[in-house]
Each structure stands twice: as C-alpha cells, then as structure tokens.
Amino acid sequence: MMEIGTIKAVHIYTHRRLYVAAELELNVKGVRYTFGGHEEFLSGINGGEPADPPFLGRFLFRCMQVCRVDNWDELKSSKVLVEIHHGKVVAIADVAGNNWFHLAKEFGAMSLEKEQIETGTKEKP
C-alpha cells in the first residue's frame, strides 16, 4: 500500500549505550508509523560492529535527500510517499514518487558490498 504521509518528528538516539540509531515518526491518515530505528540499523563508534558500513550517515543523508532539505531539523512537516507492507513502513519517497529510499534494499546492498570487499581482500595473497 502506498499513501502520502507527514513526518511528525525525527529522532536520533542511543541504543544500549553502545549504538546510535535514527528514525522518522510518520503520520499516515491519522496512524503513527516509524521508518528506521534500532530494529533496522545500528551504528556505533566504527559504524556498528568493526568496519560496518556507515548506516547512520546513509540514513540521515537519504531522508534529507528524499525530502529535498539541507538540514535534519527541516524534515519535520515534510510530506512523503510511504510504502507500507504488513503494517510496517518499508520505503519513503518524494511525493511524486521519483526518489525512493528503500532502507532494507539499500542497506542490504551496502552490507553485500562490504562482504565482497572483505572476501576479495582475504583471497589475495
């Protein structure tokens, strides 16, 4: 299901005092949803676990890019197209649907790229 939603709040917080996460709080037809958060990604002093991709930076950048803002604080009240599956927001886009941020796909690709780099490095003598 795709609907237009409004970003009601933006949160950056620590999780278990070891990691940092961020999320958008969305209002879609009067229902509260979140996008991101510690269940989706964690970043620590080195990105999460040692040498993990920079998920937090990518999340912040992509949310701002989708909403066409230059400051994290400007996200509040932005309108976004929201893709919801099984009661969970899986992606956001600009209202026209031209610039999608599908968190699991992008972060999965980042993790795969990291694994390929590590595998390629380990295989070389």
Side-chain angles (χ1 to χ4, degrees), residues 67-95:
C67 293
R68 295 187 177 114
V69 299
D70 296 320
N71 185 306
W72 181 249
D73 293 332
E74 295 171 2
L75 284 171
K76 190 173 179 183
S77 300
S78 294
K79 299 280 188 202
V80 290
L81 187 58
V82 179
E83 183 176 346
I84 302 168
H85 286 282
H86 306 292
K88 182 178 176 182
V89 175
V90 296
I92 62 169
D94 59 12
V95 176

Side-chain angles (χ1 to χ4, degrees), residues 1-67:
M1 165 177 86
M2 288 190 224
E3 298 285 346
I4 300 291
T6 304
I7 298 173
K8 290 305 203 181
V10 295
H11 306 286
I12 300 174
Y13 58 92
T14 60
H15 178 71
R16 296 186 180 165
R17 295 184 174 189
L18 298 171
Y19 304 101
V20 176
E23 69 183 8
L24 301 180
E25 185 178 321
L26 305 164
N27 181 331
V28 179
K29 292 186 170 182
V31 178
R32 180 189 175 276
Y33 291 92
T34 59
F35 179 66
H38 70 272
E39 293 180 358
E40 299 295 329
F41 72 93
L42 293 169
S43 288
I45 195 165
N46 295 311
E49 296 302 324
D52 271 358
F55 293 126
L56 179 65
R58 178 65 173 240
F59 181 81
L60 300 175
F61 179 80
R62 289 293 286 126
C63 289
M64 290 172 25
Q65 187 181 47
V66 163
C67 293

